Amino acid sequence: AQSVAQPEDQVNVAEGNPLTVKCTYSVSGNPYLFWYVQYPNRGLQFLLKYITGDNLVKGSYGFEAEFNKSQTSFHLKKPSALVSDSALYFCAVRRNQAGTALIFGKGTTLSVSS
Amino acid sequence: NAGVMQNPRHLVRRRGQEARLRCSPMKGHSHVYWYRQLPEEGLKFMVYLQKENIIDESGMPKERFSAEFPKEGPSILRIQQVVRGDSAAYFCASSPGTGAGEQYFGPGTRLTVT
């Protein structure tokens, strides 16, 4: 069965410091991996995805994620956090199959202090 | 290009009433997904539809819930005889079709059952 784990409910960082939001997955076959961000009372916004190729994926707003097949991880990173990055972040996986649903982690709340 | 549209944004129903949630996918998108977000939980897949067809309803409760995506008009998620446990945010997402593309989410409908 497919699953996604986000081991941290909350991550706190100071503005200007690097941030990492962790994600591990379990899926049969090659995964499609995604990161989304949700601001209060809003829908999810797509940040980035890994399909194939380079293990380091760059996305919106300066975020990037590193795919590690041996550790089945897809951690979200940013070199320098902004207060405006404070939000709820979701990792999701989809089987390598067109049209199948996304399986989401429970989400990690990122809080960036000034 | 307008994004995914959902209405109403907020819906209050008394126990036993019916709730109808509407979703208009992005222009050019023919695949629609419905997800439910319960408090303190991530998003859970409910149903995947293409025009006039239900492709995957494995996440849909067996009773009281139904979904459609007619040839003309928005996709509808219908909940009959609502109960308090149905209170949640319901999100619709769309994608253009097959392939590795991400899903684009609407702002959600927040259903409150009193």
Side-chain angles (χ1 to χ4, degrees):
Chain A
Q2 303 169 87
S3 65
V4 175
Q6 293 182 243
E8 302 155 316
D9 291 337
Q10 179 142 352
V11 170
N12 299 310
V13 298
E15 188 174 32
N17 283 359
L19 70 87
T20 299
V21 183
K22 296 179 181 177
C23 171
T24 58
Y25 67 90
S26 174
V27 64
S28 58
N30 294 320
Y32 291 170
L33 293 157
F34 302 82
W35 275 101
Y36 285 83
V37 60
Q38 185 181 30
Y39 295 97
N41 299 315
R42 302 284 295 277
L44 276 69
Q45 296 179 29
F46 169 74
L47 280 179
L48 51 79
K49 66 182 178 184
Y50 172 82
I51 304 300
T52 187
D54 193 351
N55 289 343
L56 185 64
V57 178
K58 293 190 182 297
S60 306
Y61 312 118
F63 284 93
E64 57 189 27
E66 186 168 10
F67 172 64
N68 187 317
K69 189 173 183 177
S70 63
Q71 297 185 8
T72 61
S73 67
F74 189 55
H75 300 331
L76 181 70
K77 300 181 180 184
K78 187 172 183 180
S80 178
L82 299 172
V83 172
S84 58
D85 292 330
S86 298
L88 182 59
Y89 290 80
F90 289 101
C91 180
V93 66
R94 201 183 90 193
R95 287 188 306 227
N96 187 351
Q97 177 179 343
T100 56
L102 293 172
I103 307 300
F104 284 89
K106 288 190 174 183
T108 298
T109 298
L110 173 66
S111 179
V112 181
S113 57
S114 57
Chain B
N1 188 10
V4 177
M5 299 177 68
Q6 290 187 250
N7 66 81
R9 293 291 306 274
H10 300 274
L11 182 62
V12 180
R13 285 288 179 264
R14 292 197 176 114
R15 281 179 296 169
Q17 290 184 320
E18 178 180 286
R20 282 188 178 235
L21 288 63
R22 288 177 290 277
C23 168
S24 296
M26 287 182 70
K27 187 176 180 181
H29 287 193
S30 58
H31 296 231
V32 167
Y33 308 79
W34 285 93
Y35 294 85
R36 177 165 64 176
Q37 185 178 31
L38 293 166
E40 309 302 323
E41 293 189 21
L43 280 78
K44 303 292 186 185
F45 166 73
M46 299 181 74
V47 61
Y48 161 42
L49 311 102
Q50 296 179 26
K51 284 285 187 181
E52 298 185 278
N53 286 302
I54 297 174
I55 307 302
D56 180 359
E57 56 182 347
S58 59
M60 193 91 98
K62 293 290 187 275
E63 297 178 350
R64 302 187 298 108
F65 285 72
S66 62
E68 63 178 9
F69 189 16
K71 186 176 180 181
E72 301 291 337
S75 175
I76 306 287
L77 178 67
R78 181 183 179 201
I79 311 172
Q80 294 179 290
Q81 299 174 345
V82 296
V83 301
R84 287 215 172 111
D86 296 333
S87 296
Y90 292 82
F91 290 95
C92 169
S94 71
S95 67
T98 58
E102 58 273 20
Q103 296 172 15
Y104 294 85
F105 283 78
T109 294
R110 279 156 183 81
L111 173 65
T112 301
V113 179
T114 62

